[in-house]
Every structure is written in C-alpha cells, then in structure tokens.
C-alpha cells in the first residue's frame, strides 16, 4: 500500500507525517483479508481497500456529483453548527478519522482557529499520498496550524492520540461501512482512548427514499462504478492478481431490511482469477458477486443507542433542513 515518509517536513516544522505500521504489515493484512473474503461464500472484500491514491481521487470526484448529496449536505450542516460545536467542546486538537482530502475539515478548522492560538490537526488515513497532499494544502491555508498526520488503518487498531482537549471527527457517514458489532467495537476503541471532556463528532446519513439512495451510489457518469472496480486494481498491483475489471458489473441497491445500501461487483461470465501472492485461484460463476461495501443508514434513536453502547453520551444532535443527514456529538463525561 502507498506510504508516506516519516518525520517532519524539511521545509515546514509544523507539518509531520508518520507511518503507523510498516508497509509490509499493511500488505500482510491485505493478503489475510483477501484470502478470507474470496474463499468464503458469499465473496467479500473490505471497502477500506478502495482507498489507494487513485481510489481516494475517484472518491473525491464522486463527492462533486449531483447524485451524491452526502458531501454537500454534511458540508452545509457543518457550516451552520461548527462554531457552536467548537465552543461547546473547546478542543485544542482536532483528530479526523478517514480524513481523505479534508474537504469539510476546513469548516471545523476555521472555528478551531478562532478559538485556539495554536490549533493542532491530526488527520488519519490509509492513503499516504492523499494525506500528505491535503496536509500540505491545509498548512498553506492555516499558517498557525500544526498538522501531525498518521498513515494508518485505524480499523486494525487506533494509533496513540496526542494529549490535549480532543475532538475526534468521523464524518461522511463512514461509520455506516461497519456492520454490527464492528461499528460499536470501533467507536468503543475511540472512547477508550479519550478523557472526560473529549468528544466525538459523528456524521450519519439518515434513512430516506430508496431511489435517492441508489442514485447516490450508482451515478450516471459511472464514477462510482469505476471506484468500485478500483479495488480489483489494488489486488492486481499489491498481490499479483490478474483480475480484469471489465469482467465485472457494478451493482448498487438499497437493502430495506438491513437499512443499508450495498455495493457488489458481479461477474459477467464464469472465469477464474489467479492471485500470485496467495498462491490462490478463485473461481467465479456467471452472475456471482463480490460484496465490496455496505453503507448503513440511520435514525436518531439508532445513533443514540450506538453511542451509548460505545461509551459516549449524545450531547448534541443537528439535522439538515431536509432531514437527509445529521451530526451527532458524543461526549465522554461532561464538556463543561
């Protein structure tokens, strides 16, 4: 997987990027997940492997699509409430999980910079390339901001977090990619690393009409389909597989019973794929799918229960005017 060079920047002492785990460890984890996912039934691949540098760039482009309401709706909601959230928590450190291009982060940083003389931003992302690019852009935009980026797969263990009053942001409804009990396990691991007064800002996509949801994950331009197939290119590059992405159709649909959008790659024909690094041949029948992502949709009672089971108290709930998206602030102890 792509990595970033450790240590502070030679030209910017306020920018520091470090690798949480060695690249060979990340590759071993990838190999383990792929073997387990593709020999089982149904076949599955974890969605975190979408996000190499190319996948991160594709997702950034998806965020601008007219069908993909999530980013612009959450962004508008953040603009409305960020100041109040920062004032309520008064953090010295903003930590962002799955930071990507850090698009919406600037709204929080604007409020943080007004509140703190020396704000610290800690982006955590699996893609070293996109993390370094976004961190450099933020340093240029915020001269007083200290950036300490972590290239890490936080699903495999959250890195040590810096000391200080901390607000952890997990935006984009990315928590929806985790099915129970993995969602509770992840949020619980965050709560365990925080202190009373620290908080978690969780972005959650709310249950809505199936047509709206399915359009967001199967856009007319085909970018989401390309993003979905990119996971096969990651396996080709990292594990010596010989997937032909054009042999798979992108499939996305709303599973109402599970309240989640599911993405799959469906084999157009029967064929076999060799994965050299695993000494493995994977057989596909015509129409067989690889489940690559679930994106669960939420209600307020469901989010409040999830936070409570994970060690957080719901301290604030803000919804977009169309009730499409919400921001939940979960606190550890009191923020007073």
């Amino acid at each position: 997987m792509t990595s970033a060079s450790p240590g502070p920047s030679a030209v910017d002492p306020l920018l520091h990027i470090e690798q949480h785990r060695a690249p060979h460890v990340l590759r071993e984890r990838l190999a383990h997940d792929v073997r387990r996912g593709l020999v089982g039934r149904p076949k599955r691949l974890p969605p975190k492997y979408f996000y190499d540098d190319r996948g991160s760039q594709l997702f950034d482009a998806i965020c601008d699509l007219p069908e993909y309401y999530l980013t612009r709706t959450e962004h508008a909601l953040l603009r409305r409430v960020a100041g109040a959230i920062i004032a309520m928590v008064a953090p010295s450190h903003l930590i962002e999980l799955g930071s990507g291009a850090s698009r919406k982060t600037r709204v929080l940083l604007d409020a943080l910079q007004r509140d703190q003389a020396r704000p610290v931003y800690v982006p955590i992302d699996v893609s070293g390339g996109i993390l370094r690019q976004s961190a450099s852009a933020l340093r240029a935009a915020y001269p007083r901001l200290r950036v300490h980026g972590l290239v890490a797969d936080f699903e495999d263990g959250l890195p040590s977090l810096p000391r200080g009053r901390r607000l952890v942001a997990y935006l984009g409804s990315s928590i929806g990619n985790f099915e129970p009990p993995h969602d509770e396990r992840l949020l619980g691991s965050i709560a365990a690393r925080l202190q009373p007064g620290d908080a978690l800002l969780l972005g959650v996509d709310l249950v809505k009409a199936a047509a709206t949801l399915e359009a967001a994950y199967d856009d007319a331009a085909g970018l989401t389909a390309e993003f979905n197939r990119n996971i096969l290119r990651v396996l080709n590059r990292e594990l010596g597989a010989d997937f032909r992405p054009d042999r798979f159709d992108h499939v996305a649909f709303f599973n109402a019973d599970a309240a989640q959008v599911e993405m799959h790659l469906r084999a157009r024909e029967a064929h076999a794929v060799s994965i050299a690094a695993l000494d493995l041949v994977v057989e596909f029948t015509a129409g067989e799918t690889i489940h690559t992502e679930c994106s669960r949709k939420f209600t307020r009672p469901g989010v409040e229960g999830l936070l409570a089971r994970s060690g957080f108290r719901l301290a604030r709930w803000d919804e977009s005017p169309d009730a499409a998206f919400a921001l939940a602030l979960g606190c550890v102890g009191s923020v007073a």
Side-chain angles (χ1 to χ4, degrees), residues 179-193:
E179 298 176 74
H182 302 293
D183 53 353
E184 184 179 330
R185 190 176 305 151
L186 173 62
L187 296 187
S189 72
I190 297 170
R193 291 186 179 270

Side-chain angles (χ1 to χ4, degrees), residues 9 15 19 35 38 51 60 64 110 119 128 131 145 162 166 169 180 185 190 212 220 274 301 328:
S9 167
L15 173 61
Q19 183 87 36
R35 182 183 293 277
L38 294 186
Y51 297 97
D60 197 42
D64 289 329
D110 287 343
L131 189 148
L145 181 68
R166 295 165 294 191
R185 190 176 305 151
I190 297 170
T212 301
S274 173

Side-chain angles (χ1 to χ4, degrees), residues 293-336:
E293 183 180 79
C294 73
S295 183
R296 293 167 54 224
K297 307 305 169 185
F298 297 92
T299 63
R300 176 171 178 167
V303 173
E304 190 164 6
L306 172 60
L307 289 173
R309 293 190 302 274
S310 306
F312 291 98
R313 172 180 58 84
L314 182 64
R316 184 182 175 109
W317 176 269
D318 293 285
E319 283 188 16
S320 61
D322 58 359
F325 203 95
L327 291 167
L329 185 68
C331 292
V332 178
S334 171
V335 296

Side-chain angles (χ1 to χ4, degrees), residues 247-260:
R247 282 185 157 181
F248 291 85
D249 289 319
H250 166 68
V251 179
F253 60 89
F254 181 56
N255 180 339
D257 292 336
Q260 65 187 29

Side-chain angles (χ1 to χ4, degrees), residues 6 20 65:
H20 179 54
L65 293 171

Side-chain angles (χ1 to χ4, degrees), residues 22 36 46 48 53 69 76 89 202 215 228 249 257 267 273 296 336:
R36 182 177 61 180
K48 62 187 175 184
D53 289 349
Y69 62 87
V89 181
L202 191 66
N228 197 4
D249 289 319
D257 292 336
V273 173
R296 293 167 54 224

